[in-house]
Amino acid sequence: MSTSQLVVQHLPYLRRYARALTGSQVAGDAYVAATLETLVNEPDTLGRSTNIKADLFRVFTRIWNSLSVNGRSDQVQHDLPAEVRLGQITPLPRQAFLLSCLEGFSEEDAATILGVDVAEVRDLVDEAGRELAADMATGILIIEDEPLIAMDLEALVEGLGHNVIGVARTRSEAVKIASSETRPGLILADIQLADGSSGLDAVNDLLKTFEVPVIFITAYPQRFLTGERPEPAFLIAKPFQPANVSAVISQALFFQQTARRREAKTA
């Protein structure tokens, strides 16, 4: 496949990223068009690596970051409330968050695209996660049987501005807490619990009565691939990085709200 064909193949993803970054498809497409013009005038800007998609996003990023308007949030147009939240995040953290969480680039590819190192990508994603979480605070149920890990997660969640409605060590405790008047807006769950019960089973019990995003944090990621599991769900392997948990929490809440608004518009 030729380079031009590969570029065409990746254009829908670049347009999606540009829309999320600018808050408007019209504004996003203007940056995409400028990127394509640059590729026509400077064809050597592609092909510097074996990853054409990352190269394409790198050229786009160079154009995006070259305009002073991007440092002013009041200049960004917005079509959806969820995109208003993204627009309020400072520019570089917003880019790192979207590259990692929306487009699925590895930390290494995101670092190349942004022209920073991997450690800075992690810091930027963490910063974006905190800015998003501050605007999407919710009640979180933690299902974790190891007290120290549960305490770490509780401190992390509260540091992001969320409220922990309870910590459960077993399947039955999780069901009992979630049956109270205050239902969680998100669940953080281990898979292997104290009494030998399963966090997967606990979550599936809960999702029979209400729908919330779920993040599994486990030392046994292979168990996530067996049995009945909720969809969509996120998976983080232990030992975890706090920045990764922060980013995934914000990602889960952000995309849930976006999906709900789209469903409401089509209903």
Side-chain angles (χ1 to χ4, degrees):
M1 188 177 294
S2 68
T3 299
S4 60
Q5 289 175 316
L6 288 171
V7 169
V8 170
Q9 185 180 48
H10 295 309
L11 271 182
Y13 304 104
L14 186 64
R15 293 186 67 217
R16 176 179 64 185
Y17 172 70
R19 176 191 169 91
L21 189 60
T22 63
S24 162
Q25 192 65 71
V26 173
D29 283 347
Y31 284 103
V32 172
T35 300
L36 296 178
E37 290 175 7
T38 298
L39 295 180
V40 170
N41 295 325
E42 305 173 29
D44 292 341
T45 54
L46 283 186
R48 295 182 182 179
S49 71
T50 57
N51 191 334
I52 293 295
K53 183 178 180 181
D55 278 350
L56 178 63
F57 276 69
R58 178 178 49 77
V59 175
F60 175 93
T61 298
R62 189 186 78 186
I63 293 169
W64 165 260
N65 289 332
S66 69
L67 302 180
S68 60
V69 68
N70 297 327
R72 301 172 56 191
S73 61
D74 60 337
Q75 294 286 334
V76 182
Q77 301 176 24
H78 303 288
D79 294 338
L80 296 172
E83 288 166 338
V84 172
R85 295 188 177 95
L86 278 176
Q88 291 170 343
I89 299 176
T90 44
L92 199 54
R94 184 161 78 242
Q95 293 172 74
F97 178 84
L98 289 170
L99 289 171
S100 300
C101 299
L102 176 64
E103 298 304 330
F105 282 107
S106 67
E107 290 179 336
E108 291 75 14
D109 283 340
T112 298
I113 292 168
L114 296 176
V116 300
D117 59 30
V118 169
E120 186 169 353
V121 167
R122 291 172 182 162
D123 289 342
L124 290 169
V125 171
D126 183 41
E127 183 179 343
R130 291 181 182 280
E131 292 186 39
L132 271 177
D135 196 41
M136 295 185 290
T138 190
I140 294 181
L141 170 62
I142 297 174
I143 307 174
E144 171 60 63
D145 65 327
E146 297 184 36
L148 291 178
I149 294 178
M151 288 174 61
D152 286 343
L153 289 173
E154 190 169 6
L156 188 155
V157 163
E158 292 177 345
L160 290 171
H162 301 295
N163 175 52
V164 176
I165 68 167
V167 177
R169 297 180 67 250
T170 66
R171 176 181 181 180
S172 59
E173 287 181 10
V175 172
K176 182 178 180 181
I177 292 172
S179 299
S180 65
E181 293 184 2
T182 305
R183 286 182 172 176
L186 182 140
I187 298 172
L188 295 177
D190 193 359
I191 290 180
Q192 181 68 50
L193 301 179
D195 60 351
S197 60
S198 166
L200 278 169
D201 292 338
V203 168
N204 284 319
D205 285 346
L206 299 178
L207 296 186
K208 291 175 182 177
T209 55
F210 58 90
E211 182 179 345
V212 293
V214 181
I215 301 171
F216 288 100
I217 304 177
T218 178
Y220 306 95
Q222 67 276 8
R223 292 193 57 186
F224 182 73
L225 303 176
T226 62
E228 184 182 357
R229 62 183 187 272
E231 294 291 353
F234 301 83
L235 180 66
I236 297 174
K238 293 178 180 176
F240 57 82
Q241 294 290 332
N244 189 22
V245 178
S246 297
V248 175
I249 287 175
S250 297
Q251 177 190 10
L253 292 173
F254 171 74
F255 287 112
Q256 181 207 37
Q257 291 190 13
T258 302
R260 284 180 174 175
R261 292 186 183 279
R262 286 174 180 166
E263 289 174 1
K265 289 180 68 175
T266 57

